[in-house]
Amino acid sequence: MGYRVAVIGATGNVGREMLNILAERQFPADEVIALASRRSLGQEVTFGDKTLKVKALEDFDFTGVDIALMSAGSGPAKEWSAKIAEKGCVVIDNSSYFRMDKDVPLIVPEVNADAIAGYTKKGIIANPNCSTAQMVVALKPLHDVAKIKRVVVSTYQSVSGAGHEAMDELFTQTKRIYTNEELAPKKFPKQIAFNVIPHIDTFMDDGYTKEEWKMAAETMKIMDPDILVTATCVRVPVFVGHSESLNIEFEKPISEDQAREILRSAPGCMVIDKREAGGYMTPVECVGDYATFISRIRKDPTVPHGLAMWVVSDNLRKGAALNTVQIAETLINRFLKKAA
């Protein structure tokens, strides 16, 4: 017997990717339901070789649905998650709304799958920020061996992390530069084409942005509350794929070669690290892949036990849709098993 799965926000970038990944990974679903707001009612989305008509979230009865994969933003998550969970449907939410709720597990399956057990408190599981997800996949295997004290991370985040409108703005501005037309930034505060913007999400009182705060707070919740993280998050003119430069300080000694071997055998990690031109991964090359790619592993000589590295991943996949589906897979394998 299979499961009934609803994808909420099915017409968005991440929602469509969730449907793709459910089909690719042959998720054991008897029925997959595409949901969005009423303004998307009747639109069609692809699920494998099938076409699904989008239904309205506001009118849908979740009775008998096992899992809801939600990628509709914090507003709908706040309004609908508890109501859906009351119907006995486990909500896996991709927004930031529940991430720091102490009664909601924040999960990256390769890192803290056991914490999924906490879903019973509210019937909700949170998916972390895209930039956090790929970072902790790379950090956790090293932390288990040498214990991380501090992480300094600079991100190079693609525009797809800000949605359809952001991707359209990069495309439109790029064309207008060549035709000498007005660029007119709307989604971003400054020109994104042929530029970088050190500003993602809102500014906080301490000068950090909320995106930077999320990376620190979420890493502590997922991995270890004693890890210190300082982040600078930057939007770059790339359509899909987030990149990160990491400087990691450990409590114990760990060599470059040790780190490579540990990461090569770690779940979700792929080491591409040749010290030659092109011997590393870039965001263009990671699009459509499930892995978190790690390159440029080297000693950081500025601290007693330090390493530097480059981490790249498809933000629409591991950073959002894939991680959500992996949570659902772990949930059914360990907690929601149905009799055959």
Side-chain angles (χ1 to χ4, degrees), residues 130-131 134 154-163 165-171 173-174 187-201 211 232-245 282-284 286-287 310-313 315:
C130 49
S131 49
Q134 71 183 65
S154 296
T155 71
Y156 308 79
Q157 294 177 229
S158 66
V159 295
S160 57
E165 293 177 357
M167 297 177 78
D168 289 344
E169 187 156 311
L170 173 57
F171 182 73
Q173 285 187 359
T174 301
K187 184 67 178 179
F188 297 110
K190 296 197 176 193
Q191 172 187 326
I192 184 61
F194 300 95
N195 197 20
V196 298
I197 303 173
H199 170 199
I200 300 176
D201 212 325
E211 182 84 356
T232 300
C233 293
V234 182
R235 193 72 72 186
V236 297
V238 170
F239 284 105
V240 179
H242 285 0
S243 306
E244 297 173 350
S245 171
T282 63
V284 167
C286 78
V287 174
W310 174 253
V311 178
V312 179
S313 188
N315 57 293

Side-chain angles (χ1 to χ4, degrees), residues 85-290:
E86 285 173 3
K87 297 284 188 176
C89 175
V90 181
V91 177
I92 305 175
D93 179 45
N94 193 54
S95 80
S96 63
Y97 186 74
F98 291 103
R99 289 176 187 159
M100 301 315 296
D101 187 321
K102 64 181 177 59
D103 293 326
V104 174
L106 181 63
I107 301 296
V108 176
E110 297 94 334
V111 176
N112 65 335
D114 289 345
I116 290 176
Y119 85 94
T120 54
K121 292 180 180 177
K122 287 191 174 181
I124 301 168
I125 302 169
N127 196 48
N129 189 39
C130 49
S131 49
T132 305
Q134 71 183 65
M135 182 172 76
V136 298
V137 167
L139 292 181
K140 181 59 162 61
L142 303 175
H143 182 61
D144 288 344
V145 173
K147 196 170 184 183
I148 294 170
K149 293 172 60 177
R150 178 173 180 257
V151 179
V152 179
V153 55
S154 296
T155 71
Y156 308 79
Q157 294 177 229
S158 66
V159 295
S160 57
H164 273 309
E165 293 177 357
M167 297 177 78
D168 289 344
E169 187 156 311
L170 173 57
F171 182 73
T172 300
Q173 285 187 359
T174 301
K175 287 196 303 181
R176 287 181 172 177
I177 283 174
Y178 286 108
T179 55
N180 202 28
E181 296 178 65
E182 183 183 357
L183 298 182
K186 293 179 182 177
K187 184 67 178 179
F188 297 110
K190 296 197 176 193
Q191 172 187 326
I192 184 61
F194 300 95
N195 197 20
V196 298
I197 303 173
H199 170 199
I200 300 176
D201 212 325
T202 56
F203 277 94
M204 303 173 71
D205 290 343
D206 62 1
Y208 282 86
T209 65
K210 198 168 182 182
E211 182 84 356
E212 293 158 352
W213 171 83
K214 288 176 194 172
M215 291 195 73
E218 291 174 16
T219 299
M220 289 190 287
K221 182 175 179 179
I222 294 167
M223 280 183 53
D224 186 332
D226 293 330
I227 294 176
L228 300 176
V229 178
T230 181
T232 300
C233 293
V234 182
R235 193 72 72 186
V236 297
V238 170
F239 284 105
V240 179
H242 285 0
S243 306
E244 297 173 350
S245 171
L246 301 178
N247 289 74
I248 311 161
E249 182 180 359
F250 298 88
E251 284 192 6
K252 303 174 185 176
I254 182 169
S255 71
E256 305 159 28
D257 289 339
Q258 277 181 289
R260 285 190 198 92
E261 289 308 307
I262 291 164
L263 291 168
R264 281 194 179 109
S265 60
C269 293
M270 182 71 71
V271 176
I272 307 292
D273 190 17
K274 296 179 181 178
R275 294 180 174 178
E276 60 187 44
Y280 41 80
M281 284 295 285
T282 63
V284 167
E285 298 161 286
C286 78
V287 174
D289 208 299
Y290 290 153

